[in-house]
């Protein structure tokens, strides 16, 4: 008989609603029972906590292979688990890029024993160079469900159309499930040489900017191509009011588009760059108050489907440069729930939808992650305390890097336990391995 | 903020009193420069490092001359722009220099904000000698000094800053500097050469130089960087000269007593016609001369004894 674990005293919240219940999971990875007054061989306290389906992050950079000094799949997964995530989608901008079976297999292999499921995405084009398609069918057979050249968008209109048409022909390889192309929308001819949002602050600071329109033009194009090809396009880290507006209209027209917003795009603005600290340098860049309000509204009204972290670790020496010379990106995994909980005026059920089941559905993970908490379902859970406040510290994170823009900030809501396949991988905020 | 200036990073750091104080100090040091032996012991025993990540001849020579006239020791840490990418972080470079025991670091960098970053990593005083498109405060101070020598108070004076404003740290510095002195500043440029937003800037904007030329007390021309033409921000340099250059015809319409200024190096025939640059009301070489005294004042104020201005003037005299 396998050992059982009871999560006691919490409120279970999933897509079917909210109820006071204990949850018993078994070490073989399934939920055994949901109900009041249950016990197991061991128990975890969930008093004042919400027991939710584990979180799913559609957008993380785990830097392996190629930049292991900044992060590894192991350390990134540990940070993810501490953030309540039971599954994360690793972006393909590694060195070498995840653009062929060999690299994708390596990532799958490195993620075998991690305390969070790490799923590989794969590049749309070889070397993320925007010229030739990767062997998409072969990669789908390995388990890839999302393709993206993240870090850069596909600049060539015709190539993007071809990629969508081809991806639209691969569903038979994965049980009829549609493949998703995720786009980092940025027209490089307009953004090139820009290091922050172009506007009042970039002008004053003398930092070359990139206009909101660099993102919006590609969102506009890809909406048109989604209509043309019928293949689903997922918009990564929407950051401008214009982008949110266009996606809202496209969804109303029934087009096959989804979107995510990165935590920092609804918490921080370009004014944060005033001291030239590259910890605030990120692509797409931090935008204005108006954009932040629009992204929040998009999350609230359902235009944006998911909160992603765009977790992007960088070593201190890489960030100890000028704003122009430092690489873009910031940590996000361990702060996402707290920031969303602090900054979004949403009922907890809706917040969990954005962090769990809606992103799970986009990535094709719904059979393993983000599903309802019922008997027989996979035991991937996040136990969160929405009321506790704490102070963010980069040094206290599991990541190999410390580049959090929220250092010293007090936030509300903490991940208490994370359960992966019945195993309590995080207990009281501490990763168990 | 008078009294406790630790670094000079931006003209925005200086209030009107600070600028006045620096101008007075400059006047004293200008007198030193006219002596037979133009040297005072004001900074004897102080060490200043030049940290130039971007090529500069004039500004560095000007700072070096200023430091020598103040009897400071100097050392040169010249970094080719390529070595930025060779691995050593800016922080490591700065900490290396600081470890040699310097009192001041004068920095030029192609990246905006580099001097701000450096202040986090050293106890030395940091002087910004130009950072990207952002600021070049000693240029602005020497421009203000030069202008006041000819015009007296700048209160209500009409200043046009003309040309490539978008990429210009001189324009950003002078917009603040001249405005602090009470002048009425107008930017004159096509949209392709203006910053994306001028929200909160103390300036007016026009695309038409001819509209304002007759009203000006100062026509301040910026260097048009020839490589900008490759960015196609202006169709041709010839067209730029016709529309935004100080041509002979336009210079003739300037009112008597008005000044023509330029931070150098000039592109004769582009932003300014060759003949106009040599007119008596063009004070361009005087700007260069005054640069030394201004930089003496800045270095003295940041690194000097801390004596207040009146006592100091006596001492210098």
């Amino acid at each position: 008989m396998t050992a059982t674990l009871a999560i006691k005293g919490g409120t279970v919240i999933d897509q079917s609603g909210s109820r006071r219940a204990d949850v018993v999971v078994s070490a073989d990875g399934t939920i055994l029972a949901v109900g009041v007054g249950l016990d197991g061989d061991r128990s975890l306290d969930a008093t004042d906590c919400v027991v939710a389906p584990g979180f799913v992050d559609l957008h993380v950079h785990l830097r392996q292979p190629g930049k292991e000094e900044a992060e590894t799949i192991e350390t990134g997964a540990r940070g993810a688990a501490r953030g309540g995530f039971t599954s994360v989608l690793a972006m393909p901008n590694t060195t070498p890029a995840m653009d062929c079976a060999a690299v994708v297999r390596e990532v799958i292999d490195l993620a075998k024993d991690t305390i969070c499921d790490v799923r590989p995405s794969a590049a749309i084009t070889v070397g993320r160079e925007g010229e030739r398609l990767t062997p998409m069918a072969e990669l789908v057979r390995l388990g890839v469900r999302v393709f993206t050249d993240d870090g850069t968008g596909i600049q060539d209109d015709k190539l993007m159309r071809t990629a969508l048409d081809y991806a639209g022909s691969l569903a038979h390889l994965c049980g009829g499930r549609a493949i998703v192309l995720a786009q980092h929308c940025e027209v490089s001819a307009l953004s090139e040489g820009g290091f922050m949002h172009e506007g009042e602050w970039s002008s004053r600071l003398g930092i070359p900017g990139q206009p909101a329109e660099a993102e919006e033009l590609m969102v506009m194009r890809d909406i048109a191509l989604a209509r043309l090809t019928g293949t689903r396009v997922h918009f990564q880290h929407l950051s401008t009011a214009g982008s949110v507006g266009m996606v809202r209209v496209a969804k109303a027209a029934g087009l096959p588009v989804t979107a995510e917003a990165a935590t920092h795009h609804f918490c921080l603005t370009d004014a944060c760059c005033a001291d030239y600290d590259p910890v605030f340098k990120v692509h797409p860049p931090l935008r204005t108050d108006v954009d932040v309000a629009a992204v929040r509204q998009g999350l609230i009204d359902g235009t944006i489907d998911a909160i992603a972290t765009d977790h992007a670790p960088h070593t201190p020496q890489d960030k100890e440069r000028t704003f122009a010379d430092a690489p873009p990106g910031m940590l996000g995994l361990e702060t996402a729930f707290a920031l969303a909980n602090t900054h979004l005026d949403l009922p907890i059920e809706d917040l969990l939808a954005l962090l769990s089941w809606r992103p799970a559905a986009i990535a094709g993970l719904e059979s393993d992650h983000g599903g309802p908490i019922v008997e027989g379902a996979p035991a991937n859970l996040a136990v969160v305390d929405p009321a506790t406040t704490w102070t963010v510290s980069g040094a206290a994170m599991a990541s190999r890097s410390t580049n959090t823009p929220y250092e010293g900030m007090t936030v509300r809501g903490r991940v208490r336990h994370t359960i992966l396949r019945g195993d309590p991988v995080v207990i009281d905020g501490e990763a168990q391995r | 903020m008078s009294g406790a200036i630790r670094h000079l990073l931006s003209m925005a750091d200086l209030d009107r009193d600070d600028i006045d104080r620096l101008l007075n100090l400059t006047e004293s040091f200008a007198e030193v420069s006219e002596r037979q032996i133009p040297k005072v012991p004001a900074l004897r025993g102080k060490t200043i490092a030049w940290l130039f990540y971007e090529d500069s001849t004039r500004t560095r020579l000007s700072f070096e001359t200023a430091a020598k006239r103040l009897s400071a020791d100097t050392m040169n840490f010249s970094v080719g722009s390529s070595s930025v990418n060779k691995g050593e972080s800016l922080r490591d470079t700065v900490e290396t220099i600081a470890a040699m025991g310097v009192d001041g670091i004068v920095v030029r960098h192609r990246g905006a904000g580099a001097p701000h970053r450096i202040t986090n990593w050293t106890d030395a005083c940091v002087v910004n000698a130009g950072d990207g498109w952002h600021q070049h405060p000693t240029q602005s101070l020497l421009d203000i000094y030069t202008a006041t020598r000819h015009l007296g108070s700048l209160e209500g004076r009409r200043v046009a800053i003309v040309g490539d404003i978008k990429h210009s740290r001189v324009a950003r510095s002078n917009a603040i500097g001249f405005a602090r002195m009470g002048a009425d500043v107008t930017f004159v440029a096509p949209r392709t050469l203006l910053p994306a937003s001028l929200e909160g800037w103390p300036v007016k904007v026009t695309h038409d130089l001819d509209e304002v030329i007759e009203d000006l007390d100062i026509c301040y021309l910026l260097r048009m960087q020839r490589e900008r033409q490759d960015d196609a921000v202006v169709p041709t340099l010839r067209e730029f000269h016709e529309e935004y250059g100080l041509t002979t015809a336009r210079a003739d319409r300037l009112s008597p007593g008005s000044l023509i200024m330029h931070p150098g190096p000039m592109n004769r025939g582009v932003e300014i016609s060759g003949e106009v640059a040599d007119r008596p009301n063009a004070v361009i070489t005087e700007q260069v001369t005054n640069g030394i005294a201004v930089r003496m004042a800045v270095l003295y104020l940041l690194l000097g004894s801390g004596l207040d201005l009146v006592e100091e003037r006596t001492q210098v005299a």
Side-chain angles (χ1 to χ4, degrees), chain A residues 299-328:
Chain A
L299 286 161
I300 290 168
D301 69 22
T303 301
I304 300 172
D305 303 88
I307 292 169
T309 65
D310 197 359
H311 180 79
H314 289 291
T315 59
Q317 60 269 27
D318 278 345
K319 284 287 191 181
E320 281 164 358
R321 297 173 187 277
T322 62
F323 202 89
D325 289 333

Side-chain angles (χ1 to χ4, degrees), chain A residues 203 205 276 319-320 325, chain B residues 84 91 110 117 134 172 197:
Chain A
S203 299
L205 295 170
Y276 297 95
K319 284 287 191 181
E320 281 164 358
D325 289 333
Chain B
V84 173
R91 178 179 185 156
R110 65 185 164 74
R117 298 286 288 152
H134 178 229
R172 282 182 176 74
S197 163

Side-chain angles (χ1 to χ4, degrees), chain B residues 131-147:
Chain B
D131 63 327
W133 304 350
H134 178 229
Q135 282 281 316
H136 190 3
T138 58
Q139 177 71 46
S140 179
L141 288 167
L142 74 87
D143 290 334
I144 292 168
Y145 180 76
T146 305

Side-chain angles (χ1 to χ4, degrees), chain A residues 79-227:
Chain A
R82 292 185 69 192
F85 294 95
T86 55
S87 183
V88 295
L89 187 66
M91 291 295 109
N93 63 335
T94 46
T95 314
M98 291 150 65
D99 63 356
C100 63
V103 183
V104 168
R105 275 203 199 94
E106 186 190 352
V107 170
I108 292 170
D109 196 46
L110 287 164
K112 263 194 183 123
D113 297 316
T114 50
I115 63 171
C116 171
D117 275 356
V118 175
R119 304 290 177 124
S121 63
I124 298 170
T125 67
V126 175
R128 300 170 49 249
E129 285 169 354
E131 286 167 9
R132 286 180 298 125
L133 296 185
T134 53
M136 293 174 115
E138 184 184 14
L139 297 170
V140 168
R141 287 181 199 276
L142 288 175
V144 173
R145 295 291 176 271
V146 179
F147 289 85
T148 175
D149 272 7
D150 181 49
T152 174
I154 306 283
Q155 303 298 314
D156 185 308
D157 305 339
K158 181 156 180 270
L159 181 67
M160 187 60 191
R161 187 245 167 117
T162 305
L164 286 164
D165 271 335
Y166 192 71
S169 324
L170 299 175
H172 63 284
L173 299 177
C174 48
R177 222 215 114 80
I179 296 300
V180 181
L181 294 204
Q183 187 81 286
H184 170 131
C185 289
E186 181 180 331
V187 172
S188 60
L190 275 179
S191 68
E192 209 160 16
F195 307 115
M196 66 176 290
H197 173 68
E198 180 182 295
E200 188 181 332
W201 278 100
S202 69
S203 299
R204 190 175 304 157
L205 295 170
I207 295 177
Q210 40 177 280
E213 286 72 9
E215 173 176 313
E216 291 162 359
L217 282 176
M218 195 171 283
V219 170
M220 193 183 293
R221 180 199 71 179
D222 285 353
I223 288 171
L225 292 179
R227 183 174 55 212

Side-chain angles (χ1 to χ4, degrees), chain B residues 194-209:
Chain B
L194 286 168
S197 163
L198 290 171
E199 187 71 34
W201 293 45
V203 298
K204 298 190 191 92
V205 183
T206 176
H207 307 309
D208 183 3
L209 181 54

Side-chain angles (χ1 to χ4, degrees), chain B residues 223-235:
Chain B
R223 175 179 164 73
M224 179 67 180
Q225 298 181 16
R226 286 171 185 273
E227 56 271 25
R228 299 293 169 218
Q229 206 194 337
D230 300 334
D231 292 347
V233 292
V234 291

